[in-house]
Amino acid sequence: MNPFKNIKHTEYRKHNGLLEAVQVLEETVYETSAGPLVPVYKTEDFGRKKLMPVRFDKYGNIRSIPLQDAVNIKTSCGTFSAELLTFYPGGELCRLFPLNGKLSGYWSETNEYELAETVKIPTSVGDLEVKLLYLHFYETGELKSVTFWPREKAVITTPVGKMKIRRGVSFHPDGSLASCEPSEPVEIQTPFGKVNAFDPDPNGMNGEKNSLQFDTKGNIAAFATNQAEFKVSDPEYGDLLFQPDLTHSMCSDLVMVRQGLFVELEEEHVLFRSMSGVIGRTSRSNTIEMIKLDPAPVSAPVPSCSL
């Protein structure tokens, strides 16, 4: 059902007739769990406003609302200005975006970053003072994750010590740290010995699931490293070696760089994953030897030619 059917609007429907989005064309107030909201209904300037529709999920519930003007939204971790909100099917607040600018040839990510304001977010790992891309909440209202602007960093307290992080941080429903993204290699203790945890090329731009992960008791649940490989002695398959991928450096085709090897510590197994997906899984009862690697870049083989 279209809640905006009594005002001037444009509907967008899928090929099966289901309502996908509504572009509101006059001012109206829509009541939500986050309070009364006015969807975008007119443009102002090329940088700050463009017509963006209210979007619906496949069940007809409102999924996202771009706002005509920034509104202060009260959350479990404070009050924040928002220009775009998304919701769960039950109407609960899902994500809060402080900015919702139009990125184009005239309005760049740098322009948007300069408009972003530094905010303070109280968390179990300390107060985060960063420029936000967005906040993510559980359906029950607790903070689920914080995603920073790409160039932002913060220092937090983790179960393995204080650490400078980038990209973002996520939390379990009880508020304990679920994951973070180290901004530089950090030494951690694992069941295989000490290793420098670091993902040189984090995939994606959000802080919802990062390379260094913890369970609710503060134990390491997963980590990435490009400074170690793992030799597994399996009674059925023999010796197996799991290594970080090598890729060409962006600076030179003659230099190879190691990507992150992801190690997930399951209750009875250890899972190894590269950027392309799972590459192996072994029982924790097997002998697993960690072999440290030189962190320096690797020279690529130079092809030889003969006349």
Side-chain angles (χ1 to χ4, degrees):
M1 188 178 88
N2 179 2
F4 306 106
K5 63 182 179 179
N6 294 325
I7 64 170
K8 188 177 179 182
H9 69 278
T10 300
E11 291 186 1
Y12 302 92
R13 293 185 176 272
K14 298 181 180 180
H15 66 277
N16 58 6
L18 289 178
L19 185 64
E20 183 174 24
V22 170
Q23 180 59 66
V24 177
L25 298 174
E26 63 182 75
E27 184 174 0
T28 186
V29 177
Y30 182 74
E31 292 291 338
T32 72
S33 61
L37 303 175
V38 178
V40 169
Y41 65 95
K42 65 178 180 179
T43 57
E44 293 178 1
D45 62 76
F46 68 81
R48 298 308 313 138
K49 286 289 181 293
K50 65 176 178 178
L51 284 179
M52 294 181 65
V54 176
R55 296 193 174 277
F56 296 79
D57 65 21
K58 61 182 179 180
Y59 302 107
N61 305 303
I62 286 185
R63 188 176 67 189
S64 66
I65 302 180
L67 306 179
Q68 181 64 33
D69 297 299
V71 174
N72 288 330
I73 303 295
K74 186 177 180 180
T75 74
S76 60
C77 58
T79 299
F80 303 93
S81 176
E83 291 187 356
L84 173 67
L85 297 173
T86 71
F87 297 89
Y88 288 103
E92 304 88 354
L93 178 63
C94 181
R95 291 180 178 86
L96 180 155
F97 295 80
L99 295 176
N100 185 34
K102 177 183 178 182
L103 302 185
S104 67
Y106 301 98
W107 191 258
S108 68
E109 181 179 302
T110 299
N111 297 132
E112 193 80 350
Y113 176 78
E114 290 171 351
L115 278 179
E117 295 182 356
T118 299
V119 298
K120 180 184 287 189
I121 309 155
T123 75
S124 62
V125 298
D127 289 347
L128 301 176
E129 295 191 45
V130 292
K131 291 187 175 185
L132 288 174
L133 271 178
Y134 66 87
L135 297 173
H136 189 189
F137 300 92
Y138 286 99
E139 291 180 71
T140 45
E142 298 89 353
L143 181 63
K144 187 173 186 179
S145 70
V146 181
T147 295
F148 310 160
W149 274 90
R151 66 186 76 176
E152 292 286 285
K153 292 180 175 63
V155 175
I156 65 172
T157 301
T158 78
V160 295
K162 283 198 171 182
M163 182 183 307
K164 182 181 286 188
I165 63 167
R166 56 179 169 166
R167 194 167 76 159
V169 59
S170 68
F171 303 93
H172 294 290
D174 66 0
S176 60
L177 181 64
S179 73
C180 61
E181 196 63 55
S183 63
E184 56 195 30
V186 57
E187 188 176 71
I188 62 171
Q189 181 67 50
T190 75
F192 323 109
K194 291 183 178 180
V195 66
N196 283 333
F198 183 62
D199 180 6
D201 188 21
N203 186 24
M205 286 186 62
N206 67 68
E208 298 184 14
K209 188 175 182 180
N210 303 287
S211 66
L212 182 54
Q213 299 171 28
F214 302 89
D215 63 22
T216 54
K217 296 180 180 178
N219 302 310
I220 292 174
F223 62 91
T225 182
N226 65 341
Q227 297 183 20
E229 60 187 17
F230 295 82
K231 182 180 179 182
V232 176
S233 297
D234 189 295
E236 184 176 354
Y237 299 102
D239 289 344
L240 305 171
L241 189 63
F242 299 101
Q243 302 171 303
D245 285 341
L246 285 173
T247 59
H248 286 285
S249 167
M250 295 179 65
C251 301
S252 171
D253 285 342
L254 299 179
V255 175
M256 305 293 285
V257 293
R258 293 190 183 94
Q259 297 299 318
L261 174 68
F262 300 87
V263 183
E264 298 181 15
L265 306 176
E266 300 175 345
E267 186 174 349
E268 297 182 357
H269 295 84
V270 177
L271 185 145
F272 298 95
R273 182 168 52 85
S274 69
M275 292 182 68
S276 58
V278 175
I279 56 176
R281 187 168 179 257
T282 187
S283 170
R284 292 187 71 159
S285 63
N286 290 335
T287 300
I288 303 175
E289 179 188 1
M290 182 177 67
I291 304 167
K292 293 187 178 180
L293 300 170
D294 188 336
V298 180
S299 296
V302 179
S304 59
C305 59
S306 59
L307 297 176

